Amino acid sequence: MRVAARRLLAPLLIAALLVSTSAGVALAAGNASDSNVTKLGSQDITISDATVTISDTDIAGPGFPNLTIDHQRYTLDSSTMTIDGLHVSFNGQTYEICHVDITLKNLGVTLDNVRISDSN
């Protein structure tokens, strides 16, 4: 497997994992510092010193390379991402729904028996 494909694949798999796990976050009401914006579902998530193992998995999609990973380990030292959520204005009031800040520290990813293919 090419090095460029490996470096692209690890962040994509981590992002897919985080999006799927953050979908179950419950909404909680709160107020933003701006008096015109009401936050619904603001969450700060920190994942540190953990190892995620993805095994016996098939991933297919347009534009993916065709490759098989028998066993590979990756380590993410530190990364922060923000999902701004959905902004809705109603009767002059702005609502921000599900703002999420995610911080990853010392996260290991192990891929075992993962097959990636182009769906075309």
Side-chain angles (χ1 to χ4, degrees):
M1 178 173 29
R2 294 180 305 186
V3 173
R6 286 182 182 175
R7 289 182 187 201
L8 176 64
L9 178 63
L12 287 175
L13 289 173
I14 291 170
L17 177 68
L18 290 174
V19 168
S20 67
T21 57
S22 67
V25 173
L27 295 178
N31 290 325
S33 59
D34 184 359
S35 62
N36 293 331
V37 177
T38 300
K39 286 190 173 187
L40 303 172
S42 178
Q43 296 291 322
D44 292 325
I45 300 170
T46 299
I47 301 171
S48 63
D49 300 323
T51 300
V52 176
T53 300
I54 301 171
S55 62
D56 301 323
T57 303
D58 293 321
I59 300 171
F64 282 154
N66 291 311
L67 54 97
T68 299
I69 304 169
D70 292 326
H71 179 79
Q72 187 66 20
R73 292 185 56 125
Y74 299 94
T75 300
L76 179 64
D77 291 329
S78 181
S79 179
T80 301
M81 73 174 91
T82 299
I83 302 169
D84 283 334
L86 173 67
H87 290 80
V88 178
S89 293
F90 181 73
N91 287 339
Q93 179 66 41
T94 301
Y95 299 92
E96 180 183 75
I97 302 170
C98 204
H99 176 94
V100 180
D101 289 319
I102 301 170
T103 302
L104 305 172
K105 294 180 182 178
N106 194 25
L107 180 66
V109 177
T110 301
L111 305 176
D112 286 321
N113 194 24
V114 175
R115 289 169 299 283
I116 301 168
S117 62
D118 187 352
S119 65
N120 291 330

